Amino acid sequence: MSVRTSTLAKSVVVAAVAASTVFAASACSSNGSQPVPGGATPQSDIKFATLQPNDGFTPVADYMNTAKKTIDIVMYETDLPFPQLMTTLEAAVKRGVKVRLLLSSKLYQIPGKPPVPNHNVPDLEAYRKIGVDAQLSRPEFSNEHQKTIQLDAGTPEQRVMVCDFNLGASYFSDKSPYPGEGGTRGMSLIDTNKVDNDTIAAYYNADWPPYSAWPVSTQANLVWAPSGPNWSPQGNAQTVLTSMFNNAQNNLDVYAQMIPKDAILLQPLVDAAKRGVKVRVVGNKGGIDPVALDQLKGAGAQVVVGPKMTASDPNPLYVHTKTIIADAEGPTAVAFVGSENPFLDDSILNERELGLLTTESANVSKIESTFNSDFSTGTPQ
């Protein structure tokens, strides 16, 4: 199922979640006095990795080509055929690297429509034929939506690429197969922090069949879901993302694939705009509910849809990234990059997701520069 169909299905199946108490995380400080939105801590071992579709698949393949012992991937889907991906993984297997791939055991379904077959099931066999140990995710999650590529876990060289894109060919090309689109906006970071990597590896192993309990994560810059009240251990996604909105002092720049009118995190964003924070949103045409749009504009937020890679491009990018930047120019600047859709309640409450917070000025500047470009080429609402 394509990402566009998945998005539509998700918008339909995400039921209105009863209003729940959302609260700000106790935030850490990057300068000894001011709180960092989201509670992030300074961490120089997180680096910006790729910008899609600008960079294409080559840097992702190059990254995987550096693996010496293991490659552990978790993705919602990979949309085969994707020859570049298959070639990269097969080459890794042939040089003695153990490759594991975890795909979602469920795909989004549209109520009232015929069931959508899970193409991940036959895709498993395609991967197994080239020597990849491919499995389906644990079934209790609404979906396995985490998007990570971890290399050489448990070794001194371990590192993980945390993405907001799936490993499908359409995410890496500016010639989209979808009519009227010019590609898909996505981003990724690489984290080399030992404790972060150890934690991510422990979660991966817990989510690998036959499945086991995952540990409590104490890493401030790892943003985990599910974070709903029915899960144990409970992730921190709702707390962290709410804190980003509640604690931003100057500006919030938000990419939004979709914003339903009943999203839990819509009100904190509206409240931020009302208290004078400069809020800018880049979204997709038709992706923001009219009621939500009216709330945002009424609070003073600026909203554009359909950004382009350049102003002269005939077709807009599809906004699939979920990136958020808070206080971009200040001492507490922080960016979130990851798989959580902040305004789709099921994503933060009931799906397996992972994101990263980064405070490094080079990372934030790169992300903010991209946002500024996308905002400038979008259509004001």
Side-chain angles (χ1 to χ4, degrees):
M1 181 168 59
S2 74
V3 61
R4 307 315 184 269
T5 306
S6 298
T7 299
L8 174 60
K10 189 167 189 176
S11 70
V12 177
V13 300
V14 172
V17 177
S20 61
T21 303
V22 292
F23 48 91
S26 56
C28 301
S29 173
S30 66
N31 61 4
S33 58
Q34 293 178 272
V36 178
T41 58
Q43 192 164 309
S44 61
D45 37 19
I46 296 176
K47 303 295 185 184
F48 191 87
T50 66
L51 175 67
Q52 302 301 342
N54 307 57
D55 295 340
F57 185 70
T58 297
V60 180
D62 290 345
Y63 166 77
M64 289 193 280
N65 288 339
T66 66
K68 296 178 180 178
K69 294 183 178 297
T70 61
I71 301 177
D72 291 331
I73 303 172
V74 54
M75 288 281 151
Y76 169 70
E77 62 183 358
T78 56
D79 283 341
L80 296 185
F82 188 5
Q84 286 178 283
L85 174 63
M86 298 295 281
T87 299
T88 302
L89 296 181
E90 186 173 18
V93 171
K94 287 181 176 178
R95 68 175 184 270
V97 175
K98 180 181 179 181
V99 182
R100 294 190 295 175
L101 171 64
L102 195 62
L103 295 173
S104 185
S105 61
K106 301 174 186 175
L107 295 184
Y108 306 122
Q109 304 293 326
I110 304 177
K113 300 290 185 180
V116 175
N118 188 347
H119 61 78
N120 286 340
V121 175
D123 286 355
L124 293 179
E125 296 307 315
Y127 287 111
R128 289 168 181 168
K129 286 180 180 178
I130 64 170
V132 172
D133 188 356
Q135 303 289 340
L136 292 177
S137 66
R138 58 195 313 155
E140 61 262 42
F141 298 141
S142 290
N143 288 285
E144 176 65 71
H145 200 248
Q146 178 182 332
K147 308 170 194 305
T148 56
I149 308 168
Q150 187 168 33
L151 307 185
D152 300 329
T155 75
E157 293 80 28
Q158 62 185 342
R159 60 271 191 212
V160 61
M161 180 181 285
V162 176
C163 318
D164 57 31
F165 48 78
N166 291 297
L167 291 181
S170 65
Y171 292 86
F172 304 101
S173 173
D174 59 2
K175 296 178 176 59
S176 173
Y178 304 100
E181 288 181 15
T184 301
R185 174 62 78 219
M187 302 187 194
S188 66
L189 301 172
I190 291 178
D191 186 348
T192 57
N193 179 271
K194 180 184 185 303
V195 182
D196 285 357
N197 271 268
D198 287 345
T199 302
I200 293 167
Y203 271 63
Y204 190 96
N205 290 329
D207 289 348
W208 188 263
Y211 317 123
S212 59
W214 59 89
V216 175
S217 174
T218 59
Q219 293 300 96
N221 292 3
L222 298 183
V223 185
W224 288 103
S227 62
N230 296 326
W231 300 96
S232 181
Q234 191 172 348
N236 62 341
Q238 185 177 354
T239 300
V240 167
L241 296 173
T242 303
S243 171
M244 287 194 76
F245 295 161
N246 286 350
N247 290 322
Q249 298 299 310
N250 301 311
N251 68 286
L252 280 165
D253 290 333
V254 178
Y255 283 102
Q257 185 178 9
M258 298 187 67
I259 306 182
K261 63 181 179 182
D262 51 12
I264 290 174
L265 291 185
L266 172 60
Q267 193 60 52
L269 185 61
V270 170
D271 290 343
K274 286 181 176 179
R275 71 172 186 270
V277 175
K278 182 181 178 181
V279 174
R280 298 188 296 172
V281 178
V282 173
N284 292 307
K285 183 178 180 180
I288 303 175
D289 184 276
V291 174
L293 180 61
D294 286 346
Q295 286 183 265
L296 288 165
K297 293 175 64 178
Q302 302 174 65
V303 181
V304 303
V305 298
K308 299 177 180 180
M309 287 183 66
T310 67
S312 60
D313 285 345
N315 297 317
L317 292 164
Y318 182 79
V319 176
H320 188 262
T321 188
K322 304 88 170 63
T323 299
I324 300 169
I325 313 105
D327 296 340
E329 303 300 329
T332 58
V334 60
F336 163 83
V337 175
S339 66
E340 285 96 339
N341 280 290
F343 304 102
L344 295 179
D345 294 348
D346 214 36
S347 176
I348 60 174
L349 297 178
N350 296 309
E351 296 180 5
R352 170 64 83 218
E353 309 269 15
L354 176 60
L356 283 177
L357 297 178
T358 178
T359 62
E360 287 298 295
S361 59
N363 299 339
V364 177
S365 294
K366 171 69 173 179
I367 295 167
E368 179 70 358
S369 175
T370 301
F371 185 93
N372 287 336
S373 176
D374 288 345
F375 187 86
S376 70
T377 59
T379 302
Q381 299 298 287

